[in-house]
Amino acid sequence: MAPTKRAVVIGGGIGGLTAAAALHQRGWAVTVLERAPSLEPVGAAISLAPNALRALDVIGAGDEIRDLAAWQGDGGLRTPSGRWLARTDADAVTRRFGGPLVLLHRATLVTSLAARLPASAVRTGTAATVTDPGDAGRPARVGTPDGELEAELVVAADGIRSAVRGVLFPGHPGTVYSGFTTWRLVIPVPGAHFASHETWGPGRIWGSHPLKDGRVYAYAAAVTPAGGRAPDDERAELLRRYGDWHAPLPAILAAARPDDVLRHDVHHIAEPLPAHHRGRVALVGDAAHAMPPTLGQGGNQAVEDAVVLAHHADDLAAYTAARLPRTTAIARQAVRVARLNMMTGRAAVAVRNTALAAVSKAAPLLFLKGFEGIADWRPPQAPYAAPKTPDGNHPRSTPREGRLHRTR
Ligand SMILES: Cc1cc2nc3c(=O)[nH]c(=O)nc-3n(C[C@H](O)[C@H](O)[C@H](O)COP(=O)(O)OP(=O)(O)OC[C@H]3O[C@@H](n4cnc5c(N)ncnc54)[C@H](O)[C@@H]3O)c2cc1C
């Protein structure tokens, strides 16, 4: 019998955990090394489109996520005064792309992914890097504070500031500032129910979307120099920038506490990498192709990467061929959309809004065109059989309970 092949996954975020679950289901012996003390993710909620949900179906997680998430799509685009520029329709999204667009807390997603791995597979509090990418004749090597590990495959899912990317491609310039900062918060829904919306002002946007569990996910983005921080606190900064926008913004801002608000500057990889692998090491997710969040596809693409990598785990050139052109095109589209929705000049904004309102009235489904070729993606493989638990059932996680904190 051939010896079990070893995979080391650096990074226990969305991409790393999906890859680990997929490889585990294909029979690899998987070790996930996560630098943070727990798998608890930073960053509020995440939207997943039909493409990522189909990728999650491969590892048997798609239906659980569809069940735990709020189904998105009913709502639309507004101006700061509250005027609707465009309305969107959840059923139209589902019909066009063969499934829903969903929104859930990141911790719920991470819990569901981690539940598909043996507890002993995840080592938290363990920063790692590649010391030798290996080749056809020798395994790759990964350095950890406890010594080196050898593996037939290393998955580098260490995020936007990936150290492994620098080891594999030292000449690559890395990331650039995308020109805007973001704020995110998740709090109980304050007051009456409201429709999901994204609102575009000059150089600023805001989105509010109910989650399934009675909370609201709100995010904002604004054109500003990199590295800025509010002189007092970020909730006060949001009040200054968005306090006079339409309902439900004032109620959300009144209910939020300063500690609820996360702020992150946005960076992306402007120059694509020459490949998404070297030797026995494959880059996954933001490590390979960090993109602005304007299409909501960064995490979706990480999940796609993960299942395509499991499919091509023995042929990393095929993995690069499958992923590099697609993720490059989507990242470029995300940059173009960022230019459109972060437009600053008032005259240009007025022209943009008039055009958006006219298109929405004349051909409402035209808005879905931007997701053609993205949301209709299908994974290359059929779902793997989900391993059964000792009681004969398929694994199902319990969100926000216990499973996020696994240490050595
Ligand atoms: C404001 C905002 C909103 C977004 N909204 C969406 C959305 O709605 N939908 C969507 O699809 N995407 C969205 N994204 C993008 C999405 O967050 C990322 O694309 C996604 O998290 C990438 O996943 P990842 O696994 O590649 O990296 P990460 O989620 O960043 O995970 C990387 C992990 O690696 C760990 N790590 C780093 N270095 C090491 C090391 N040396 N050793 C061990 N571990 C290490 C980190 O601690 C981390 O846990 C958004 C991004 C932003 C900024």
Side-chain angles (χ1 to χ4, degrees):
M1 203 169 77
T4 305
K5 287 186 278 191
R6 299 158 297 177
V8 171
V9 179
I10 303 178
I14 293 160
L17 290 174
T18 309
L23 289 163
H24 169 64
Q25 289 178 6
R26 285 202 65 192
W28 288 68
V30 178
T31 305
V32 179
L33 306 173
E34 166 55 48
R35 180 176 59 187
S38 85
L39 292 181
E40 185 82 53
V42 173
I46 184 161
S47 67
L48 295 176
N51 51 315
L53 290 168
R54 276 192 284 267
L56 291 172
D57 284 335
V58 171
I59 59 165
D63 280 344
E64 180 176 73
I65 297 306
R66 287 182 191 93
D67 191 28
L68 292 169
W71 289 30
Q72 293 289 103
D74 283 332
L77 195 58
R78 308 180 76 166
T79 64
S81 67
R83 182 166 63 93
W84 289 95
L85 288 172
R87 292 280 197 165
T88 52
D89 171 1
D91 290 341
V93 173
T94 304
R95 276 196 305 275
R96 183 77 165 249
F97 299 116
L101 177 72
V102 305
L103 180 75
L104 74 168
H105 201 282
R106 282 174 190 247
T108 309
L109 176 59
V110 162
T111 301
S112 172
L113 295 172
R116 274 147 237 286
L117 290 167
S120 58
V122 180
R123 295 190 202 169
T124 53
T126 306
T129 194
V130 167
T131 48
D132 178 357
D135 61 23
R138 64 175 201 287
R141 299 182 75 83
V142 172
T144 80
D146 306 320
E148 282 204 331
L149 300 174
E150 282 188 352
E152 283 67 47
L153 174 66
V154 174
V155 181
D158 52 344
I160 189 163
R161 280 184 278 274
S162 170
V164 178
R165 183 174 63 229
V167 172
L168 301 190
F169 302 108
H172 186 268
T175 59
V176 296
Y177 182 52
S178 309
F180 57 98
T181 197
T182 59
W183 296 267
R184 285 173 282 180
L185 58 105
V186 173
I187 57 167
V189 172
H193 172 79
F194 60 88
S196 273
H197 67 97
E198 192 164 283
T199 298
W200 291 6
R204 276 176 294 168
I205 67 167
W206 178 285
S208 322
H209 304 277
L211 295 173
K212 197 174 180 182
D213 60 6
R215 293 184 292 172
V216 55
Y217 169 49
Y219 56 83
V223 173
T224 181
R229 282 293 170 266
D232 35 17
D233 66 71
E234 298 301 340
R235 177 185 162 274
E237 185 67 21
L238 288 175
L239 269 171
R240 283 189 286 275
R241 289 176 183 264
Y242 303 91
D244 60 351
W245 286 26
H246 65 82
L249 274 75
I252 291 173
L253 287 171
R257 295 163 307 176
D259 285 355
D260 293 326
V261 181
L262 296 170
R263 177 171 177 173
H264 291 104
D265 286 350
V266 173
H267 295 80
H268 66 274
I269 295 179
E271 185 179 310
L273 293 167
H276 285 183
H277 77 285
R278 210 186 111 204
R280 292 177 176 272
V281 183
L283 292 160
V284 156
D286 281 4
H289 46 64
M291 60 187 75
T294 40
L295 285 175
Q297 275 291 319
N300 282 256
Q301 291 305 308
V303 171
E304 282 190 18
D305 285 348
V307 300
V308 176
L309 175 60
H311 187 66
H312 292 302
D314 297 312
D315 180 2
L316 295 188
Y319 168 67
T320 284
R323 298 305 299 160
L324 195 144
R326 173 169 171 80
T327 54
T328 300
I330 293 172
R332 287 188 175 140
Q333 191 173 333
V335 171
R336 284 196 298 275
V337 173
R339 278 191 211 115
L340 183 72
N341 66 14
M342 302 307 286
M343 213 172 243
T344 49
R346 284 189 184 272
V349 166
V351 171
R352 177 196 70 190
N353 289 358
T354 306
L356 284 170
V359 169
S360 165
K361 209 166 164 196
L365 293 183
L366 214 59
F367 280 102
L368 300 182
K369 246 192 145 24
F371 285 96
E372 271 175 14
I374 299 177
D376 42 16
W377 178 88
R378 285 173 193 281
Q381 70 269 58
Y384 303 136
K388 290 191 174 169
T389 54
D391 60 6
N393 295 319
H394 292 294
R396 189 184 166 86
S397 58
T398 312
R400 288 181 294 284
E401 278 178 16
R403 297 199 61 112
L404 294 180
H405 299 270
R406 291 207 202 119
T407 49
R408 285 167 290 160

